[in-house]
Amino acid sequence: MAFVLDNKEMVEGFFEETRLLGIQAPVKDYMFCWQVNQLMNIDFRINNELEIQLKKKGRNYFFAVYEYAQPSCCLMHYLYNNQHDGEYLLPEFKHLDFLWLLKDDCVSNEFVDDLVYSLRSINGVQLVMELTNEKIKNKEHLVF
């Protein structure tokens, strides 16, 4: 008996109770995380076990993922680097440098609005926008 992995079902399950922000900030990922940590009083840390690897044009591309567990609730924050060596994790959003995924808890519109407002106040941030599931063509690239 053969088992078949249903990618569509896996992706849908991964994106249950999530919100995704796209951020345009042409700075190094570690500098952006440092600024976020300092200004927003959170603690993003790189998680090398979550690093996303994509194979394109016969080469491997690695996209860093930072994570932060919000205290006293189940909410997890993941910050993806959308670019590596000229390739994109989500090619449909080439203008975005980072993707901020809020996962594993219900997030209110007010919380997202406050987060967007805080991110826009960071030096170097040019754009922050919420990405709806319908706009994301390569959702499977975000699944770890």
Side-chain angles (χ1 to χ4, degrees):
M1 180 188 212
F3 290 100
V4 177
L5 182 63
D6 185 349
N7 284 341
K8 184 179 178 187
E9 193 173 299
M10 181 180 68
V11 168
E12 286 175 9
F14 182 85
F15 282 97
E16 280 181 22
E17 291 191 346
T18 63
R19 304 283 291 265
L20 184 65
L21 301 176
I23 303 164
Q24 184 178 20
V27 296
K28 296 285 187 187
D29 54 358
Y30 61 88
M31 282 302 298
F32 180 70
C33 282
W34 183 84
Q35 287 182 296
V36 167
N37 289 346
Q38 296 299 308
L39 296 171
M40 297 172 64
N41 198 30
I42 62 177
D43 191 23
F44 266 119
R45 302 276 179 147
I46 195 164
N47 185 336
N48 292 320
E49 292 179 12
L50 297 181
E51 182 177 68
I52 308 286
Q53 179 181 347
L54 294 181
K55 189 171 186 116
K56 291 183 177 185
K57 302 173 191 165
R59 283 189 55 201
N60 289 320
Y61 294 90
F62 301 91
F63 300 88
V65 179
Y66 295 77
E67 72 177 339
Y68 166 67
Q70 188 152 334
S72 70
C73 68
C74 298
L75 184 60
M76 291 296 295
H77 299 257
Y78 298 97
L79 186 71
Y80 299 78
N81 199 339
N82 191 40
Q83 299 181 42
H84 180 264
D85 204 19
E87 283 297 330
Y88 297 89
L89 188 59
L90 294 183
E92 62 271 32
F93 295 110
K94 290 181 179 180
H95 64 289
L96 299 175
D97 300 296
F98 303 101
L99 306 162
W100 187 313
L101 180 70
L102 301 143
K103 184 172 171 40
D104 294 334
D105 204 351
C106 190
V107 178
S108 70
N109 288 335
E110 297 84 62
F111 184 91
V112 172
D113 291 344
D114 290 344
L115 180 58
V116 167
Y117 180 79
S118 296
L119 286 168
R120 286 183 178 153
S121 73
I122 294 174
N123 193 22
V125 172
Q126 299 171 351
L127 172 73
V128 182
M129 60 187 276
E130 185 163 9
L131 305 176
T132 59
N133 281 339
E134 302 81 48
K135 291 182 182 177
I136 306 168
K137 296 177 187 165
N138 295 288
K139 287 183 212 168
E140 68 278 1
H141 292 180
L142 300 177
V143 177
F144 43 77

